[in-house]
Amino acid sequence: EDGLDVPASFARLQKALSYTFRNPAVLTEALTHNSFGCKPEHRAWAMTPGMNRLAFLGRYFLDLVVTRLIAERSAGESTEEQLAVARVVTSSVACAWMGRRLGLTRQGSFRYGDDKGGRAIERSLEHFEKCIDGQDCLWDESCWKTLNMSGVPAFLSDLFHSVVGAVFVDSEFSTAHRVVGQFVGGEVAGAARVKDQVWLNPMDAMRKCFRSLGFGEQGSAKLSVERVTP
């Protein structure tokens, strides 16, 4: 399969998901990076069936599953608090982490081009693994900060979305919801456990701070800016 070790990759991924694909072609498409089949002389990607359409579908299905999980587990919390957890669980960092849990950082786990772009993919994966450096929990302050500061490969997050999309296409809605929900459930619980930590989401923490000072509410005090005349 031109760089994709089908038996090993499929076995790892299906074991991690606790799901067996009925149509292996769907999973092959999900594990085909857009650079696969692209020739150096071409200005655009070749029209090889790739992960784009499944990643687009998977991104929105993941949002739905995560939102429903959070609503069920945190019924007593405010909508704002639930959205804060949803944002970090569906972030590129968390999705890249979950892609690694599926074995997508291993050699032969997906197909990609053998040109300059392909070598860049390999270097990105090596850098990502070095950043993780044996850490086994994303919701640890040092791990979260390291990955956010060093950056994660965007294509790894897209690959995870494409696998989610493949599960949705390959099965019924209820089955797909159960499979994806079981896989991401631990990350939802982990994020909920540390949702009040400033390091997890500095922007949300800053918004809460402003609201506690009375800003942003109807009839509340407003920040005034004085023009300084030189």
Side-chain angles (χ1 to χ4, degrees):
E1 287 289 347
D2 304 296
L4 174 61
D5 186 352
V6 172
S9 180
F10 279 27
R12 281 195 302 268
L13 193 148
Q14 292 181 136
K15 182 179 180 181
L17 288 173
S18 299
Y19 176 75
T20 301
F21 280 81
R22 298 180 296 186
N23 183 2
V26 175
L27 183 54
T28 300
E29 181 178 342
L31 298 178
T32 300
H33 188 264
N34 301 327
S35 63
F36 179 76
C38 181
K39 302 301 181 183
E41 62 270 19
H42 292 174
R43 289 176 178 266
W45 297 124
M47 297 304 292
T48 304
M51 65 184 195
N52 268 3
R53 70 185 188 109
L54 291 173
F56 180 82
L57 176 62
R59 184 175 293 109
Y60 288 101
F61 185 62
L62 178 66
D63 286 347
L64 171 65
V65 172
V66 169
T67 301
R68 293 180 71 172
L69 282 177
I70 293 173
E72 292 169 0
R73 298 184 180 196
S74 312
E77 296 181 352
S78 67
T79 301
E80 182 184 5
E81 290 177 315
Q82 293 177 346
L83 287 174
V85 175
R87 276 194 292 269
V88 292
V89 174
T90 58
S91 66
S92 58
V93 171
C95 288
W97 176 272
M98 289 187 281
R100 181 178 183 270
R101 285 178 52 201
L102 290 177
L104 297 179
T105 58
R106 297 191 182 187
Q107 185 174 8
S109 59
F110 64 97
R111 300 194 294 184
Y112 53 87
D114 57 0
D115 57 355
K116 185 187 299 183
R119 291 190 290 276
I121 286 175
E122 293 171 354
R123 289 194 296 271
S124 295
L125 291 175
E126 291 175 0
H127 176 69
F128 182 65
E129 287 293 339
K130 287 181 180 179
C131 289
I132 292 177
D133 192 26
Q135 299 187 76
D136 58 0
C137 180
L138 176 61
W139 311 111
D140 174 77
E141 181 176 1
S142 61
C143 183
W144 181 261
K145 283 184 175 179
T146 298
L147 293 182
N148 272 275
M149 292 177 65
S150 62
V152 297
F155 66 84
L156 187 54
S157 176
D158 291 339
L159 275 171
F160 176 70
H161 287 141
S162 69
V163 172
V164 172
V167 174
F168 180 80
V169 170
D170 190 67
S171 61
E172 298 79 16
F173 177 88
S174 58
T175 301
H177 191 287
R178 174 182 56 79
V179 171
V180 176
Q182 287 178 349
F183 184 78
V184 304
E187 308 302 343
V188 171
R193 190 170 57 250
V194 296
K195 68 180 186 301
D196 295 324
Q197 300 298 317
V198 174
W199 54 263
L200 183 66
N201 199 328
M203 289 301 295
D204 279 343
M206 186 170 65
R207 281 192 286 267
K208 289 180 180 179
C209 179
F210 270 97
R211 276 193 299 276
S212 69
L213 295 174
F215 297 108
E217 299 177 1
Q218 187 174 4
S220 65
K222 295 182 179 180
L223 287 173
S224 61
V225 179
E226 296 182 359
R227 178 175 295 180
V228 178
T229 305

